[in-house]
């Protein structure tokens, strides 16, 4: 048994943590969020220089062949810093290319991603699909040698910044994945900010013409790939949530130690001490489950068992994220409600993580039915 | 035991309901239903419609324009307004400053201020909290020094709701910093917001809204006639207000309306051809909140009945209604966010959105964020529990 990171993982986690502390302060992040693009090219280059973009990619295409456990410390640090750059969407989309793409497709995309020259987004969610990955209505018709896409995707995180989208679509054979240039004719985006300050878009595909080699893998065979990608991403946001929750807990602990009312620090009131303790317990429990999710997406070969355990982790993380985020605001009193306090931003990110890739109810169902 | 309203009470409720139906402007109803921002004009428009009808100040005595309703009628009225989706009546003038003036004010103060409050001509805000004095209000530091026929005020208030709309502010200020008991050096002062030396600075909340402010006082001259009750007796005034018959603290009507909205919205959310309201996991959560709300309404009525019987103000019971009422409000916003699922993420509805419901769905997550304030303001729920444990349980 060994719950520790190995030396390389620890070194990387430390260097990302240092980067966040030094160059991605809350003030620096504010400026990025307020900028037109809502993300920083300089930060993106730094992520590439630190090897974070290459880390999860295959060695044959400029990557380091890392898995979720290798990314855990990274996601933890990015979660604490509330990174708004589209790291997760790029990792997800690149993973789909890695799992389903042929050598030419991988060579065309992955080295550029590793070098920080390309950003990707994973376009999966549709209007009435909720969290079900098999609910795909967007149509891909085979036309001549290629394909034509018609339909809509919703809340595609990172889409406004992406060079290419990896899009799930339904062909005559079933659910499939396609590589689509973000600026291809017929792709229309309604872009906006999410509650947690990410850039996203609703994307319309109107007769988008694709060449034959835009199809990733076999037509109709993409569902297991999508499931693997989303499980991988779910494990990563579990790790991200651990960093975000630690940040909320640290801020709250510091606040109740220093904020004085009735002539003493409010942390001297037992009513608040117990609340703070419960927040820490929530975090510890969640942390253990984040380890489980990351290890299992790397090693579990039975997809059913992998889904069951990722769901178990996501249930615990969703409950903990909800608990810790709500309590962190409450214990800050009025200050917690304000835009100027980082904790209110962490609250929003954690509130999103509660539901991202499925809320606790969704995963409870998947957990029970996978057993 | 009979849990039903009397025939007369039901007739009163129907009258209110009918009138609201006919007189609540559709645009205000829509704004409320979409959780849209209400402008000062919106708030005042509704205030004036009610004032014209004679219903704007249910708790005031008849000589000052109150309708002469008993406690049950007042409760019913507020619940019906909430349930109909009427804009809230801003409480600072009608339900805070006015009761204080009616109880402690001089005839001249009543004559000067009450009509403006009644007719919605003068907008009030509440200046209690300070950066260092939230839950521990009695530690407040804003100083008022008597110089001849006026006070000179220096200090800072914070969290002042709608100070940017306000014409006047009622403040707790320290007039004596030497008294051994902190509460004894506090006075209740009415201040014209146009007085030189007052600066209002916005504080933006996490849903992006501007509703609260910081208010700074620098050598602000306030005529001594604006002191309410005696100098150094401001705490008595403030305590009276806290114990004032806040029958609607639980906001049952508003929550009932949100519950209806939640159910109809969730029923339309489809998954695999099945409605979310047919998903037992989700439906049970909605039912639980509904049962909590029933319990709150009945508890509220039970307290009301007791009050009617004994003639005593509700005291610490109000704290219970505040705790449960705000927990229910928060639970409802949370279930709304859960119902909308992945579509909760956009921060603001975008122009020309693909989805007709985008404005509504995009309001849900900011509303969830904003509603976190309800367990913090008006005496945090921790402080309410302290009150119950001290006053009711003697701990
Ligand atoms: C949206 C909003 C609108 C407001 N509007 C107004 C307004 O119009 N006018 C006005 O005067 N004020 C207003 N307030 C201020 C509000 O009354 C205060 O925020 C509230 O009293 C809490 O004070 P605080 O924010 O300083 O928190 P603190 O008092 O610092 O409390 C921080 C945390 O400690 C807890 N705590 C404190 N003391 C104890 C204790 N003894 N035991 C256990 N727990 C304790 C609190 O419950 C809270 O969780 C508003 C606040 C908000 C958020």
């Amino acid at each position: 048994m060994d719950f520790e990171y190995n030396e390389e993982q620890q070194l990387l986690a430390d260097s990302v943590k240092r980067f966040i502390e030094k160059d991605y302060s809350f003030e620096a992040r504010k400026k990025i969020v307020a900028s037109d693009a809502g993300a920083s090219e300089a930060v993106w280059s730094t992520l590439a220089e630190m090897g974070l973009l290459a880390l999860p990619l295959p060695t044959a295409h400029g990557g380091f062949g890392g898995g979720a456990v290798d990314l855990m410390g990274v996601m933890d640090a990015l979660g604490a810093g509330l990174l708004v750059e589209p790291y997760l969407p790029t990792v997800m989309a690149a993973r789909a290319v890695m799992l389903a793409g042929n050598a030419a497709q991988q060579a065309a995309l992955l080295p550029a991603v590793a070098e920080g020259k390309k950003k990707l987004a994973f376009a999966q969610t549709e209007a009435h699909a909720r969290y079900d990955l098999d609910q795909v209505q967007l149509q891909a018709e085979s036309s001549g040698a290629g394909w034509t896409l018609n339909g809509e995707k919703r809340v595609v995180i990172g889409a406004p910044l992406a060079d290419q989208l990896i899009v799930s679509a339904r062909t005559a054979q079933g659910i499939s994945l396609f590589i689509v240039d973000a600026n291809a004719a017929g792709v229309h985006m309604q872009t906006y900010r999410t509650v947690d300050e990410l850039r996203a878009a609703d994307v319309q595909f109107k007769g988008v013409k694709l060449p034959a080699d835009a199809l990733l893998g076999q037509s109709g065979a993409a569902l297991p790939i999508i499931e693997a990608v989303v499980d991988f991403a779910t494990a990563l946001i579990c790790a991200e949530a651990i960093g975000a929750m630690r940040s909320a807990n640290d801020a709250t602990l510091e606040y109740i130690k220093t904020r004085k009312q009735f002539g003493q620090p409010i942390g001297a009131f037992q009513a608040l001490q117990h609340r703070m303790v419960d927040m820490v317990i929530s975090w510890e429990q969640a942390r253990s489950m984040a380890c489980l999710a990351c290890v299992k997406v790397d090693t579990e070969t039975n997809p059913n068992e992998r889904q069951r355990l990722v769901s178990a982790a996501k249930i615990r993380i969703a409950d903990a994220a909800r608990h810790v985020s709500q309590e962190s605001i409450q214990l800050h009193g009025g200050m917690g409600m304000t835009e100027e306090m980082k904790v209110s931003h962490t609250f929003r990110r954690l509130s999103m993580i509660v539901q991202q890739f499925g809320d606790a109810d969704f995963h409870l169902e998947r957990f029970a039915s996978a057993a | 035991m009979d849990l039903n309203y009397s025939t007369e009470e039901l007739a009163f409720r129907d009258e209110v309901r009918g009138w609201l139906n006919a007189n609540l402007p559709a645009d205000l109803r829509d704004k409320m239903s979409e959780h849209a921002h209400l402008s000062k004009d919106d708030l005042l428009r509704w205030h004036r419609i009610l004032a014209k009808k004679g219903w704007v100040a249910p708790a005031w005595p008849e000589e000052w324009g109150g309708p002469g309703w008993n406690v049950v009628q007042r409760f019913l009225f507020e619940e019906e307004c909430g349930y109909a989706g009427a804009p809230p009546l801003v409480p600072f003038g009608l339900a805070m400053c006015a009761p204080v003036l009616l109880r402690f004010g001089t005839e001249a103060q009543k004559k000067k201020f009450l009509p403006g409050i009644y007719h919605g001509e003068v907008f009030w805000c509440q200046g209690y909290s300070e950066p260092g004095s939230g839950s521990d209000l009695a530690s407040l530091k804003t100083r008022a020094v008597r110089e001849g026929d006026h006070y000179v005020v220096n200090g800072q208030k914070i969290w002042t709701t709608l100070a940017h709309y306000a014409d006047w502010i009622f403040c707790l200020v320290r007039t004596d910093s030497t008294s051994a008991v902190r509460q004894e050096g506090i006075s209740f002062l009415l201040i014209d917001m146009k007085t030189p030396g007052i600066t209002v600075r916005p504080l933006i909340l996490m849903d992006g809204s501007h509703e609260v402010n910081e208010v700074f006082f620098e050598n602000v001259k306030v005529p001594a006639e604006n002191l309410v009750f005696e100098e150094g007796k401001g705490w008595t005034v403030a305590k009276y207000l806290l114990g004032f018959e806040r029958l609607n603290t639980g906001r049952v009507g508003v929550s009932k309306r949100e519950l209806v909205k939640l159910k109809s919205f969730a029923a339309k959310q489809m998954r695999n051809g099945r409605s979310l309201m047919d998903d037992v996991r989700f439906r049970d959560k909605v039912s639980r909140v509904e049962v909590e709300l029933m319990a709150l309404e009945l508890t509220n009525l039970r307290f009301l009945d007791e009050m009617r019987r004994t003639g005593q103000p509700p005291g610490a019971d109000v704290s219970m209604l505040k705790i449960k009422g705000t927990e229910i409000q928060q639970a409802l916003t949370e279930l709304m966010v859960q119902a909308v699922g992945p579509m909760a993420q956009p921060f603001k509805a975008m122009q020309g959105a693909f989805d007709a419901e985008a404005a509504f769905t995009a309001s849900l997550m900011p509303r969830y964020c904003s509603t976190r304030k309800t367990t913090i303001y008006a005496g945090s729920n921790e402080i309410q529990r302290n009150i119950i444990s001290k006053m009711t349980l003697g701990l």
Side-chain angles (χ1 to χ4, degrees), chain B residues 325-338:
Chain B
T326 51
E327 285 176 358
I328 289 168
Q329 286 167 50
Q330 291 184 338
L332 285 167
T333 63
E334 202 170 339
L335 286 173
M336 271 287 199
V337 167
Q338 199 187 333

Side-chain angles (χ1 to χ4, degrees), chain A residues 113-164:
Chain A
V113 168
E115 289 167 29
K117 290 185 183 139
K118 259 188 199 305
K119 300 185 196 76
L120 309 177
F122 193 66
Q124 159 63 28
T125 304
E126 296 190 4
H128 301 292
R130 295 187 70 80
Y131 307 109
D132 288 326
L133 302 176
D134 58 358
Q135 296 289 302
V136 177
Q137 303 292 328
L138 193 138
Q139 293 296 316
E141 259 180 279
S142 109
S143 57
W147 303 88
T148 305
L149 263 49
N150 279 294
E152 265 175 47
K153 293 289 177 185
R154 289 292 170 82
V155 210
V156 184
I157 308 283
L161 303 154
D163 301 289
Q164 268 89 26

Side-chain angles (χ1 to χ4, degrees), chain A residues 255-256 259-262 264 266 269-272 275 327 329-335 337, chain B residues 92 125-137 157-162 205 211-212 370 373-383 386:
Chain A
Y255 193 78
I256 67 171
R259 168 70 173 169
K260 283 200 175 130
Q261 289 289 275
F262 305 98
Q264 49 197 320
I266 56 175
F269 300 121
Q270 205 162 51
L272 298 193
R275 303 266 289 269
E327 290 287 73
I329 300 302
Q330 183 68 25
L331 267 52
H332 272 81
M335 285 311 291
M337 290 299 301
Chain B
F92 306 118
C125 64
Q126 177 195 21
Y128 278 16
S129 307
E130 297 182 6
S133 309
S135 298
D136 181 16
L137 189 57
K157 296 293 175 183
I158 193 171
W159 312 120
T160 326
T161 301
L162 302 184
L205 298 185
E211 55 183 77
V212 296
S370 168
K373 72 190 169 197
T374 60
T375 48
I376 294 170
Y377 67 24
S380 74
N381 285 21
E382 288 74 31
I383 293 302
N386 285 350

Side-chain angles (χ1 to χ4, degrees), chain B residues 101-299:
Chain B
L101 292 177
L102 285 162
R103 170 76 178 74
F104 297 101
T106 62
E107 271 319 294
Q109 285 173 333
K110 288 183 204 172
K111 282 216 180 74
K112 177 166 180 197
F113 294 113
L114 291 179
I117 294 175
Y118 188 92
H119 294 291
E121 283 152 6
V122 180
F123 203 109
W124 283 81
C125 64
Q126 177 195 21
Y128 278 16
S129 307
E130 297 182 6
S133 309
S135 298
D136 181 16
L137 189 57
S139 68
L140 62 92
K141 290 199 181 68
T142 296
R143 301 227 320 134
V145 178
R146 180 79 186 240
E147 284 178 13
D149 59 357
H150 58 259
Y151 288 95
V152 178
V153 180
N154 279 287
Q156 184 198 342
K157 296 293 175 183
I158 193 171
W159 312 120
T160 326
T161 301
L162 302 184
H164 53 303
Y165 293 171
D167 305 300
W168 281 75
I169 182 170
F170 59 90
C171 283
L172 288 177
V173 294
R174 188 161 298 285
T175 38
D176 178 3
S177 40
T178 60
S179 66
V181 182
R182 298 182 308 172
Q183 284 81 349
E184 282 172 8
I186 294 173
S187 300
F188 196 98
L189 210 53
L190 312 177
I191 305 178
D192 186 339
M193 291 291 281
K194 285 185 294 291
T195 322
I198 298 181
T199 313
V200 177
R201 207 184 283 160
L203 269 174
I204 304 302
L205 298 185
M206 66 163 128
D207 62 343
S209 69
H210 173 200
E211 55 183 77
V212 296
N213 302 275
E214 295 178 283
V215 181
F216 298 88
F217 299 86
E218 210 187 318
N219 295 322
V220 175
K221 274 176 79 171
V222 180
E225 69 203 35
N226 290 356
L227 173 75
V228 177
F229 203 36
E230 294 161 34
E231 193 178 287
K233 288 282 191 313
W235 197 252
T236 310
V237 176
K239 264 197 359 208
Y240 167 77
L241 197 52
L242 287 179
F244 192 69
E245 300 160 1
R246 287 179 299 151
L247 306 169
N248 191 36
T249 307
R251 293 166 68 84
V252 172
V254 174
S255 287
K256 274 187 177 170
R257 186 191 69 218
E258 290 299 315
L259 178 71
V260 170
K261 236 193 279 176
L262 169 65
K263 282 182 172 173
S264 73
F265 182 72
K268 284 188 292 176
Q269 303 300 306
M270 304 301 282
R271 180 183 165 203
N272 286 338
R274 247 182 28 169
S275 153
L276 190 57
M277 282 307 278
D278 293 331
D279 173 343
V280 175
R281 247 181 216 111
F282 187 81
R283 192 179 60 204
D284 282 356
K285 281 191 244 191
V286 176
S287 300
R288 263 191 198 287
V289 179
E290 182 163 0
V291 171
E292 280 281 308
L293 185 54
M294 277 173 143
L296 176 66
E297 183 175 20
L298 284 166
T299 306

Side-chain angles (χ1 to χ4, degrees), chain A residues 22-329:
Chain A
K22 202 168 123 300
D23 298 322
Y24 210 85
S25 66
F26 182 52
E27 289 308 312
R29 176 185 182 273
K30 252 190 213 164
K31 290 205 184 85
I32 295 171
V33 166
S35 68
D36 283 345
S40 155
E41 282 304 325
V43 167
W44 197 255
S45 303
T46 310
L47 299 183
E49 279 159 27
M50 285 195 294
L52 304 192
L53 290 161
L55 183 59
L57 303 181
T59 46
H61 298 285
F64 299 128
V69 173
D70 298 301
L71 284 165
M72 241 190 117
V74 174
M75 291 307 295
D76 180 304
L78 300 183
L82 299 174
L83 187 96
V84 294
E85 280 68 22
Y87 182 67
L88 184 70
T90 300
V91 169
M92 280 180 86
R95 192 150 189 95
V97 175
M98 177 182 137
L99 295 179
N102 58 36
Q105 288 167 328
Q106 295 197 34
L109 286 174
L110 300 183
V113 168
E115 289 167 29
K117 290 185 183 139
K118 259 188 199 305
K119 300 185 196 76
L120 309 177
F122 193 66
Q124 159 63 28
T125 304
E126 296 190 4
H128 301 292
R130 295 187 70 80
Y131 307 109
D132 288 326
L133 302 176
D134 58 358
Q135 296 289 302
V136 177
Q137 303 292 328
L138 193 138
Q139 293 296 316
E141 259 180 279
S142 109
S143 57
W147 303 88
T148 305
L149 263 49
N150 279 294
E152 265 175 47
K153 293 289 177 185
R154 289 292 170 82
V155 210
V156 184
I157 308 283
L161 303 154
D163 301 289
Q164 268 89 26
L165 310 172
I166 305 301
V167 182
S168 63
R170 193 168 284 280
T171 64
Q173 290 74 38
I175 297 171
S176 313
L177 284 170
F178 292 90
I179 307 168
V180 182
D181 278 346
N183 57 10
V187 175
H188 303 282
M189 291 196 198
Q190 280 287 342
T191 65
Y192 47 84
R193 239 170 6 126
T194 62
V195 173
D196 48 349
E197 317 272 29
L198 307 178
R199 293 301 163 116
D202 290 356
V203 188
Q204 258 179 352
F205 299 82
K206 281 191 180 158
V208 178
K209 296 261 181 276
L210 300 176
D213 66 357
L215 176 70
L216 274 175
Q218 299 284 316
S219 172
L223 187 58
I225 306 289
I226 295 170
E227 287 172 346
V229 168
V230 172
D231 275 349
F232 188 78
T234 305
L236 294 189
I237 62 161
C238 288
E240 180 188 350
I242 301 309
M245 281 190 268
R246 191 188 51 250
S247 158
N249 277 349
D250 286 353
T252 307
L253 180 61
E254 177 65 22
Y255 193 78
I256 67 171
K257 278 182 177 172
T258 46
R259 168 70 173 169
K260 283 200 175 130
Q261 289 289 275
F262 305 98
Q264 49 197 320
I266 56 175
F269 300 121
Q270 205 162 51
L272 298 193
Q273 289 170 353
H274 287 190
R275 303 266 289 269
M276 187 75 235
V277 168
D278 284 341
M279 290 162 75
V280 171
I281 294 174
S282 263
W283 175 72
E284 290 284 3
Q285 290 274 85
R287 199 175 157 191
S288 308
M289 294 303 270
C291 293
L292 177 76
C294 289
V295 167
K296 292 300 174 180
V297 293
D298 283 351
T299 57
E300 180 56 62
T301 51
N302 174 355
N304 213 39
E305 181 63 0
R306 183 197 71 214
Q307 292 191 1
R308 192 176 77 88
L309 295 173
V310 168
S311 282
K314 184 66 210 296
I315 292 162
R316 187 79 276 279
I317 267 76
D319 288 352
R322 172 176 177 273
H323 172 224
V324 166
S325 63
Q326 293 181 350
E327 290 287 73
S328 65
I329 300 302

